[in-house]
Amino acid sequence: MSVQTDQSNQPTKVDLEMMTKALTLAKEAGDSGEVPVGAVVYETDTGKILGAGSNTRECDKNPSGHAEFTAILNACKSINDWRLNHCTLVVTLEPCPMCSGLIVNARLGRVVYGADDPKAGAVRTLYQLCDDDRLNHRSAIIPGVMAPESSELLKSFFKRLRDAQSQS
């Protein structure tokens, strides 16, 4: 499968397909009590999925259990290399500072994300770590892909939590 890379910072057809997969992972995470975030890392030129993940912080009692962290680690294991400059990360929520640092260190070529994160977003909202020219690597950023779907998952998850707490 040959994938066209759109240089205009618009999502490609493959980006949209991968975001759909990430949303499925996010829904599964939400159903298991995790904050509903999903992520996929794929080879930009071929569309081959190298890693995927969803939030597992509650289940694993691990603060690094973020969807994109898991997807990046799985992708690195898949290719037996820490360099992912030929890859795209697709994630339903804007990455936090920890994950944005990992994106820079893994040298991901592109980052596609859904909903902005006004409390911890480190790609566009609060910080711009992934394309900061003071760092040794910069990723192409495509924000807001399927943002309404990503936002709705998060809003409904937190509404269910608040409703459950108010009934206690």
Side-chain angles (χ1 to χ4, degrees), residues 140-152:
I141 309 299
I142 300 93
V145 176
M146 298 176 77
E149 296 88 338
S150 297
S151 293
E152 183 53 41

Side-chain angles (χ1 to χ4, degrees), residues 33-85:
E34 296 285 347
V35 174
V37 179
V40 176
V41 174
Y42 75 93
E43 288 182 337
T44 306
D45 289 342
T46 67
K48 178 183 177 188
I49 295 174
L50 300 177
S54 59
N55 276 5
T56 60
R57 283 188 344 168
E58 298 299 327
C59 170
D60 294 345
K61 308 297 186 233
N62 180 344
S64 70
H66 290 205
E68 55 270 57
F69 202 97
T70 301
I72 291 168
L73 292 181
N74 288 338
C76 290
K77 285 180 187 172
S78 172
I79 63 169
N80 196 31
D81 195 356
W82 59 269
R83 294 170 195 88
L84 299 175
N85 22 355

Side-chain angles (χ1 to χ4, degrees), residues 3-18:
V3 176
Q4 293 286 359
T5 304
D6 188 337
Q7 299 302 321
S8 67
N9 280 349
Q10 294 299 312
T12 66
K13 179 182 175 192
V14 177
D15 292 335
L16 297 173
E17 291 170 9
M18 297 300 169

Side-chain angles (χ1 to χ4, degrees), residues 56 81 87 94 106 121 126 137 140 159:
T56 60
D81 195 356
C87 297
E94 179 181 8
L126 296 177
H137 175 77
K159 182 182 183 319

